[in-house]
Amino acid sequence: MDGERDRFNGDTKVLHQRAVRVPLPDTTAERAFHENMMTVADARERKAELLADPEVPLLAAYEAELERIAESFERRLRRIAGDDYEEVAMAYARGDRDDRIGALAAYYFEGLWRIQQRTTITEMMFSPVILRYPDSFTMNIRFTDGYTTTKSICYESPAHSTEDLADEYAEAYYEDSCYSQQQAATYLRETAQIIREEFPSPDNTSFEERKYGGIVSAGGRRGSVFSAMLESLEPDPDRFSEPVDKPTLVEAGPEAKRTERELLRNEAIVL
C-alpha cells in the first residue's frame, strides 16, 4: 500500500488544470453547498481567533483550519465513493479502473493528502478556486510551489525560526511576530466575511442575488513565514453551455487561469 500511495501522490496530473463541477438542481443542494461554505468561513474565523491569542502557538491555529478543510474533503469523498474512497482512488491511479467515480475520488484524495502534508512541508501553497454558477458550482483544487502570492499578507512564527538571536533581539522579534499575527487575524476575519457574502443562504436571498459568486484563496509558508490571501472572484457567465446532472471533472476555467496570471509570481509552478 505504501508504494501505491507514493505513486498516487506523485501524480500531479490528477489535479493539474482540472476542477470538479457539481450540479445544484434544487434548494436542498444549494443549502448543502451554502452550509459547506459557511464551514470554510467558520474555520477561517476560528483560525483568526487562535492567531489573536498570544498563548496559542501559531501552528495550532494553522492546523485547526487545515483539519476543518480536510474533514470537508473526507465528507465529499464518502459521498462520492463510500467509506472505501481511498481504495477507489488508488485503483484509478493504478489504472485498474477508468470511470467517473474513480476519477473524482482520485482528484479529491490527491487534494486531501496534500492538505494533510502542509504542516510539515514548506514552499507548497494551497490556492483553491470556488465558483458558483446558476445551476452548479466548481472547485478547482490547486497547489503551487512557493509560499505567497502578489497579494498575500505574511506573518511570522517564532517557534519556526532557526535564527539564533541575542536576548534583546529575540524579544523584539517575538513582539513583532505577535503583531504580525494580530494583523493576520484581522485580515482572516475580514476575508471570512467575503466568503459569507459570495455564497449567501438560499433561504434568505433571491436566486438573482445568489446565482453567481466566487472566491480565490491561497495559503502557504516558508520556514517561519506564513502567508494568507483571499478575495472575491467573478465567474464567467459564458463558461458552460450545457447543464450538468452529476458531479464530473472539467477543465479549469478562464477564472482559474486569470488568477494564475494575476496572483502567482512569475516563477511559480502550478502542481
Side-chain angles (χ1 to χ4, degrees):
M1 176 61 75
D2 288 342
E4 292 169 0
R5 181 186 291 271
D6 289 342
R7 275 181 56 195
F8 175 81
N9 291 297
D11 186 6
T12 57
K13 294 190 298 292
V14 172
L15 299 177
H16 188 64
Q17 298 297 342
R18 304 172 90 186
V20 177
R21 184 184 180 195
V22 181
L24 294 172
D26 51 36
T27 303
T28 299
E30 286 196 72
R31 193 176 290 124
F33 171 63
H34 167 73
E35 289 172 356
N36 191 60
M37 294 312 303
M38 294 309 98
T39 296
V40 175
D42 290 343
R44 201 169 183 84
E45 289 171 343
R46 176 58 177 159
K47 181 180 179 181
E49 181 182 334
L50 295 173
L51 268 181
D53 185 346
E55 300 300 316
V56 176
L58 186 152
L59 189 59
Y62 191 65
E63 289 178 337
E65 182 185 40
L66 295 182
E67 183 178 337
R68 297 286 287 274
I69 295 172
E71 288 173 357
S72 175
F73 272 60
E74 288 174 345
R75 285 196 301 271
R76 289 190 180 279
L77 278 162
R78 287 192 172 91
R79 282 200 297 269
I80 291 167
D83 290 339
D84 295 330
Y85 61 78
E86 181 174 351
E87 193 174 307
V88 174
M90 292 298 182
Y92 183 86
R94 292 192 303 269
D96 293 343
R97 60 186 293 168
D98 185 19
D99 60 299
R100 182 181 64 88
I101 297 300
L104 288 168
Y107 185 85
Y108 277 116
F109 187 68
E110 176 79 10
L112 172 63
W113 184 86
R114 288 177 181 272
I115 287 169
Q116 291 171 333
Q117 302 305 305
R118 285 182 62 216
T119 57
T120 57
I121 295 177
T122 67
E123 299 285 344
M124 184 179 73
M125 186 167 59
F126 179 40
S127 181
V129 173
I130 304 173
L131 298 165
R132 163 71 201 266
Y133 300 89
D135 66 344
S136 59
F137 74 90
T138 62
M139 174 180 286
N140 180 202
I141 301 173
R142 297 186 304 188
F143 292 86
T144 76
D145 64 350
Y147 75 105
T148 185
T149 72
T150 58
K151 295 185 179 181
S152 294
I153 59 108
C154 293
Y155 50 104
E156 284 270 356
S157 170
H160 290 81
S161 176
T162 58
E163 295 291 329
D164 186 15
L165 301 175
D167 289 346
E168 65 270 24
Y169 296 113
E171 183 177 352
Y173 172 60
Y174 177 80
E175 291 176 354
D176 289 344
S177 296
C178 287
Y179 177 75
S180 73
Q181 291 178 32
Q182 293 281 347
Q183 296 294 102
T186 298
Y187 177 81
L188 291 172
R189 282 191 291 267
E190 291 172 348
T191 50
Q193 185 58 31
I194 292 175
I195 299 173
R196 299 185 185 282
E197 292 170 354
E198 288 296 311
F199 307 109
S201 169
D203 298 319
N204 302 324
T205 55
S206 69
F207 181 70
E208 287 299 315
E209 292 177 285
R210 68 178 189 270
K211 67 180 182 179
Y212 288 108
I215 59 168
V216 56
S217 65
R221 78 178 179 99
R222 172 188 285 170
S224 62
V225 181
F226 290 70
S227 73
M229 188 284 300
L230 188 146
E231 64 181 23
S232 60
L233 184 61
E234 185 176 349
D236 180 353
D238 299 321
R239 179 177 179 186
F240 298 114
S241 59
E242 299 292 334
V244 63
D245 60 1
K246 53 192 173 186
T248 187
L249 287 176
V250 296
E251 290 186 7
E255 307 93 340
K257 295 173 183 177
R258 185 171 74 248
T259 60
E260 288 178 18
R261 293 193 303 270
E262 295 175 353
L263 297 174
L264 301 184
R265 301 182 182 278
N266 291 336
E267 69 275 13
I269 298 173
V270 179
L271 303 177

